[in-house]
Amino acid sequence: MQLNLKLSHKGLSLVCLLLALELTFVGALASLLSQAEQAAQKEAHAKDIVGTTTHIFQLLYDAGNAAADFQMHNGGAAAIAVFDTANAKLLPEFEKLRSLTEANPQYHERIERIYRKGTKGLKVLKFALGMAKEGNMAGAGYVINKTDMKRLEKDVMGDLRELMNEQEEILKDSPAKRKTHRDQVVQWLSVGVICNVMLAVTMGILFVRGITGRLSVLVENTRRLAQGEALTEAMTGTDEIAHLDQVFHDMATKLAEAQRKERALVENARDVICSLDESGNFFKVSPASVQVWGYTPDELVGKSFLHGIAAEDREHSQRCYAQIISGEIDHFENRVQKKDGSVVHVLWSAYWSSAEKSAFCVAHDITDRKLAEELLRSSERRIRAIVDSMLVGLLVLNQNGTIESINPRITQITGFTAEELEGESILKLFPESRVPDAATFVANLQQKASGHVTEVYGTNKSGNDMPLEVSLTEFHAVEGDRFLANVVDITERHEIERMKQEFVAMISHDLRTPLTSVQGFLELLSDSVYGELTEQGVQRSAMAERNVSRLLRLINDLLEVTKLEAGKLDLHLVETRLEEIVERSVEAVRVFAEKHTVSLDAPAAKIQLVADGDLVERVLVNLLSNAIKFSPPQSMVKVLVEETPQWVEVKVQDNGRGIPASHIDAVFERFKQVEVNDAKKKGGTGLGLAICKAIIEQHGGNIGVVSEEGKGSTFWFRLPRTRTEQKTTPALADSRA
């Protein structure tokens, strides 16, 4: 069974095997050395025992001779001195012999026996010697004979001699054992070295052969990959080389796939992908050259890229290619003449490879972009011409109120040139005394003029005020959000309006006096003051009186509208109960509603507000009359009231025919009717809603209508609950706020 091991595991296994062999070898040597050391220790021990035993023999012999000499010569100091010396040394020697044989029970027991007999004999000799010193020689001899010193000496000497003989045998065998141990160590060393060398060489050869052989396969695969040849079969196993070979095969597969994709991209790319040498000659071109330039790759390879460049662009293109090689630029544009003679604009993106001495280029057809750029420039010129010729002044402002650009009409209106206004604050055209700062002015203007028109007063270069009509549109530019202000000088319009108001006032005044006289005459005529009239005369007189009354109402309404628009109508603003205004208005139109069989529904609105009650009542009566007039029979007109902390809103809701969407913005204009014959059928002068609008706006409120044709209408007006500054001319007052 093959073991799938990594190179690190194989190397570790080799090291472990060699280490195990070394440890075994070292263990055997250690065992042999231990045995040799034990033999040496045993030899030294035997030498110590032999030496000690020999010394004891000598001391015993000296002690015995001293005792015998003392007995034979009947005393003597020299014998006593020899005996005492031997006796003093024997006990330590016996103790030393006991300690040397303490680890060997057999020897120890024998030494103990020798020790007991030896000490006993010494004691007896010492005792006998003492008796002899006192002159009791007979007693001393008796003690010695009784103890049987000869037998005791024989036993001790015999045991000591036996012990010495045994130790001498040990000493005799020791050199042979030392030689045996040395021979064994030499043998083990030789065998271990040979085995280690053989094993290391064998495993090294196997390990290296397994690595170098497979590395050569990797080298061969590298060569094949470079030559584009098929790789050898992938290696098996789990070690690093096998893994590297598998990764190499995967890499080769992915490279082949990438090459296939690259070829597919190059062959299917709409741009021309090509390679140029240092001289600018094609040596590789993608098939897209047929669609882009009309030339096949074979027609281009070997030719200079300048061959197809338009003649007027060749010098520039050659200079740009030199800059590509030097690394100064990485793209350039020129015109290429196609095979059919037409010209296309081309963007060349190139990278110069110093290692390969070639440039890798992508040629992109930008003819459409160039055409679009030209069209854009032409469009910009047209738009600029239109903007410059507009009769409406245009200002481009940023969020901070700085003027970024103007059109010539602004110069005609204000007298300021573009150099004098661009980069300046908008407050240069609108005096600072009327607004705190430019940003606030732009914010207020955006609120009032965004999506519709408002009137403001500006200042021209001469310092004179002038009325302007301004509308504001916010747009997003590359630099951020910007505002486009449309400015129209309405000085002439104001002058015409003033003249018109004066004319209307004059005509109305000059007409009202004679018409009043005519109305009075017709009333007297109807009352038969000038005699009885025929039936036809009565009818004609009544018709004339109605026409005169209608004409007077029209003149009065015109005068009132003129006063309202001129700001000459005085408002009496006081604390007013809305409930009373609603009640009076409903009662004022109740008979008119009953005549048209229309019911009224009004809430009890207990709300306080500051207003001119009579004028507000007039507005509500007008709205109720119109609602009743255009409501179908048996329907209901409702008055609804809503309030907030700042506003009170009154709504008049009917179920009439409604107002078309195209007429909603015009119903509050003078003399405007939804249908042409409404004045004849329903009555009215067409000024009622215009008067209502003027009254409500002078109160600082708003008025409007919500309607859908065929589903009725809801007219509403909103008034502030607290006192507001009375406005002079509504539109201009709004702009000055």
Side-chain angles (χ1 to χ4, degrees):
M1 181 179 65
Q2 183 179 1
L3 295 178
N4 293 323
L5 299 177
K6 294 183 178 180
L7 288 178
S8 58
H9 293 165
K10 291 180 180 180
L12 184 61
S13 299
L14 177 60
V15 172
C16 290
L17 183 59
L18 291 174
L19 184 60
L21 182 61
E22 292 292 337
L23 290 175
T24 302
F25 173 63
V26 171
L29 287 178
S31 176
L32 291 174
L33 291 174
S34 176
Q35 292 176 12
E37 184 178 0
Q38 290 176 3
Q41 290 177 353
K42 189 174 181 181
E43 181 181 356
H45 187 262
K47 286 181 179 180
D48 290 340
I49 292 175
V50 170
T52 304
T53 304
T54 302
H55 196 200
I56 290 173
F57 268 120
Q58 183 64 41
L59 292 174
L60 285 175
Y61 180 76
D62 290 343
N65 286 339
D69 184 57
F70 183 82
Q71 186 178 6
M72 290 175 59
H73 297 87
N74 197 15
I80 292 174
V82 172
F83 180 82
D84 289 340
T85 300
N87 186 38
K89 292 180 178 181
L90 274 171
L91 285 176
E93 291 298 323
F94 273 120
E95 290 293 338
K96 181 179 179 181
L97 189 60
R98 287 176 68 190
S99 64
L100 288 173
T101 59
E102 191 174 8
N104 192 327
Q106 181 181 358
Y107 287 168
H108 187 67
E109 182 181 355
R110 186 183 300 171
I111 296 303
E112 287 294 326
R113 187 170 63 251
I114 293 171
Y115 179 76
R116 287 193 302 272
K117 290 178 179 181
T119 54
K120 179 181 177 182
L122 289 174
K123 288 179 181 180
V124 172
L125 288 174
K126 189 175 182 180
F127 178 71
L129 187 60
M131 291 178 66
K133 287 179 182 181
E134 294 174 357
N136 189 3
M137 300 298 292
Y142 175 77
V143 170
I144 292 173
N145 291 330
K146 186 178 180 181
T147 306
D148 195 1
M149 287 297 296
K150 291 190 178 293
R151 187 179 57 80
L152 184 60
E153 180 182 358
K154 182 181 180 181
D155 290 342
V156 170
M157 292 296 185
D159 288 338
L160 287 173
R161 190 173 288 108
E162 184 179 352
L163 177 61
M164 183 179 295
N165 292 334
E166 291 176 359
Q167 298 306 313
E168 288 178 350
E169 287 294 330
I170 292 174
L171 292 175
K172 183 179 179 181
D173 295 338
S174 180
K177 290 182 178 180
R178 285 201 304 271
K179 183 178 183 305
T180 301
H181 287 143
R182 284 196 300 270
D183 293 341
Q184 289 177 348
V185 169
V186 172
Q187 291 174 0
W188 273 100
L189 281 173
S190 302
V191 172
V193 169
I194 293 171
C195 290
N196 274 338
V197 171
M198 291 179 64
L199 182 60
V201 171
T202 302
M203 296 193 70
I205 291 172
L206 294 176
F207 187 72
V208 171
R209 182 180 297 173
I211 294 176
T212 55
R214 292 191 295 166
L215 285 177
S216 63
V217 174
L218 289 177
V219 173
E220 176 63 18
N221 282 336
T222 304
R223 186 194 64 78
R224 293 191 178 195
L225 180 63
Q227 298 295 329
E229 301 175 2
L231 303 184
T232 60
E233 187 177 353
M235 298 180 189
T236 58
T238 59
D239 63 1
E240 287 82 350
I241 295 179
H243 180 67
L244 180 61
D245 184 66
Q246 292 170 3
V247 171
F248 194 85
H249 277 75
D250 293 341
M251 180 188 69
T253 302
K254 291 179 180 178
L255 282 175
E257 180 65 23
Q259 289 174 350
R260 286 194 295 272
K261 291 180 179 178
E262 180 183 357
R263 284 195 298 271
L265 288 173
V266 171
E267 292 174 358
N268 294 285
R270 298 184 62 184
D271 296 333
V272 178
I273 301 173
C274 57
S275 300
L276 307 177
D277 61 19
E278 196 167 5
S279 300
N281 297 323
F282 291 105
F283 64 85
K284 195 172 183 180
V285 183
S286 68
S289 61
V290 177
Q291 287 76 25
V292 178
W293 297 331
Y295 293 98
T296 64
D298 293 337
E299 291 176 312
L300 294 175
V301 172
K303 294 182 180 179
S304 173
F305 83 104
L306 297 173
H307 177 73
I309 305 300
E312 55 270 25
D313 290 349
R314 288 179 185 175
E315 183 178 351
H316 168 72
S317 299
Q318 189 171 14
R319 197 164 49 247
C320 288
Y321 188 68
Q323 292 177 315
I324 291 287
I325 294 176
S326 62
E328 297 178 28
I329 61 174
D330 59 2
H331 66 277
F332 62 94
E333 296 179 8
N334 58 21
R335 288 168 294 177
V336 175
Q337 187 173 9
K338 298 173 64 174
K339 191 174 183 179
D340 59 6
S342 60
V343 176
V344 293
H345 291 267
V346 175
L347 171 64
W348 297 78
S349 300
Y351 167 74
W352 175 257
S353 173
S354 300
E356 300 186 29
K357 298 294 182 182
S358 59
F360 302 98
C361 306
V362 176
H364 178 60
D365 185 352
I366 57 172
T367 305
D368 293 339
R369 193 191 78 184
K370 285 291 184 179
L371 179 60
E373 289 175 355
E374 181 58 33
L375 291 175
L376 180 60
R377 285 191 291 269
S378 176
S379 176
E380 288 176 349
R381 287 192 295 269
R382 288 198 300 272
I383 292 173
R384 173 54 60 184
I386 292 172
V387 169
D388 290 346
S389 61
M390 287 180 66
L391 298 178
V392 176
L394 298 178
L395 290 169
V396 177
L397 310 173
N398 63 16
Q399 297 283 341
N400 298 323
T402 301
I403 300 173
E404 293 188 345
S405 63
I406 66 171
N407 71 338
R409 181 59 181 163
I410 291 293
T411 301
Q412 297 172 8
I413 294 173
T414 65
F416 291 106
T417 63
E419 292 76 11
E420 292 173 325
L421 288 180
E422 290 176 0
E424 297 291 334
S425 171
I426 187 67
L427 296 181
K428 191 164 185 176
L429 294 177
F430 300 93
E432 296 185 21
S433 59
R434 295 196 178 120
V435 289
D437 55 63
T440 303
F441 178 81
V442 172
N444 292 340
L445 192 63
Q446 181 186 12
Q447 184 178 6
K448 296 176 181 178
S450 181
H452 47 273
V453 177
T454 189
E455 292 183 11
V456 296
Y457 274 100
T459 302
N460 59 23
K461 190 174 182 178
S462 301
N464 300 322
D465 285 352
M466 54 183 177
L468 301 173
E469 193 174 72
V470 179
S471 63
L472 201 67
T473 303
E474 187 175 6
F475 66 94
H476 182 72
V478 177
E479 300 83 2
D481 292 336
R482 294 292 186 270
F483 296 102
L484 176 65
N486 297 286
V487 181
V488 178
D489 185 0
I490 56 174
T491 303
E492 293 183 3
R493 186 193 303 173
H494 272 248
E495 183 63 22
I496 292 171
E497 186 68 23
R498 184 188 63 78
M499 295 172 61
K500 182 186 68 174
Q501 290 175 357
E502 291 178 356
F503 175 76
V504 170
M506 180 188 68
I507 296 300
S508 299
H509 183 270
D510 292 344
L511 286 176
R512 187 164 54 175
T513 300
L515 285 175
T516 303
S517 300
V518 172
Q519 186 183 34
F521 171 76
L522 291 174
E523 288 177 354
L524 293 174
L525 188 63
S526 297
D527 292 338
S528 301
V529 173
Y530 300 107
E532 293 291 333
L533 297 175
T534 62
E535 182 178 353
Q536 185 178 7
V538 171
Q539 292 177 354
R540 295 291 178 87
S541 175
M543 182 174 64
E545 185 179 353
R546 287 195 300 272
N547 288 333
V548 170
S549 297
R550 181 173 178 275
L551 187 57
L552 281 172
R553 287 197 304 274
L554 177 61
I555 292 172
N556 288 332
D557 287 345
L558 279 172
L559 287 174
E560 193 162 12
V561 169
T562 303
K563 287 181 180 181
L564 287 169
E565 291 182 347
K568 296 180 180 179
L569 182 66
D570 293 330
L571 297 180
H572 302 286
L573 301 175
V574 294
E575 287 283 342
T576 305
R577 293 177 60 197
L578 182 62
E579 182 180 11
E580 294 180 357
I581 296 175
V582 174
E583 288 178 356
R584 292 199 304 267
S585 301
V586 170
E587 289 301 320
V589 298
R590 189 173 296 281
V591 175
F592 186 64
E594 291 174 355
K595 180 180 177 181
H596 287 77
T597 64
V598 174
S599 59
L600 299 172
D601 181 22
K606 297 181 179 181
I607 298 173
Q608 293 287 122
L609 74 158
V610 176
D612 188 323
D614 294 337
L615 291 178
V616 175
E617 179 182 343
R618 181 175 176 181
V619 171
L620 187 55
V621 167
N622 189 292
L623 296 180
L624 286 170
S625 299
N626 286 343
I628 294 168
K629 190 188 307 181
F630 293 100
S631 292
Q634 309 303 324
S635 63
M636 178 181 289
V637 173
K638 294 182 180 181
V639 178
L640 305 174
V641 177
E642 297 179 1
E643 62 175 326
T644 67
Q646 291 81 28
W647 299 90
V648 175
E649 186 171 285
V650 180
K651 298 179 181 179
V652 177
Q653 189 179 77
D654 65 59
N655 297 305
R657 69 190 184 191
I659 303 172
S662 58
H663 288 69
I664 286 181
D665 294 335
V667 294
F668 291 100
E669 297 179 11
R670 287 176 291 179
F671 306 112
K672 290 291 183 180
Q673 300 283 352
V674 174
E675 294 184 5
V676 177
N677 57 356
D678 278 346
K680 295 180 180 180
K681 291 183 179 180
K682 305 294 184 178
T685 62
L687 294 173
L689 291 178
I691 294 172
C692 291
K693 182 175 184 292
I695 292 173
I696 295 300
E697 287 181 345
Q698 286 224 6
H699 276 80
N702 298 311
I703 190 169
V705 61
V706 178
S707 180
E708 185 176 351
E709 192 171 8
K711 295 185 179 181
S713 304
T714 299
F715 282 83
W716 57 269
F717 62 87
R718 185 185 297 118
L719 296 173
R721 301 191 65 162
T722 58
R723 184 184 299 273
T724 59
E725 181 182 354
Q726 183 175 344
K727 300 179 181 180
T728 54
T729 303
L732 294 179
D734 279 349
S735 67
R736 292 167 184 250

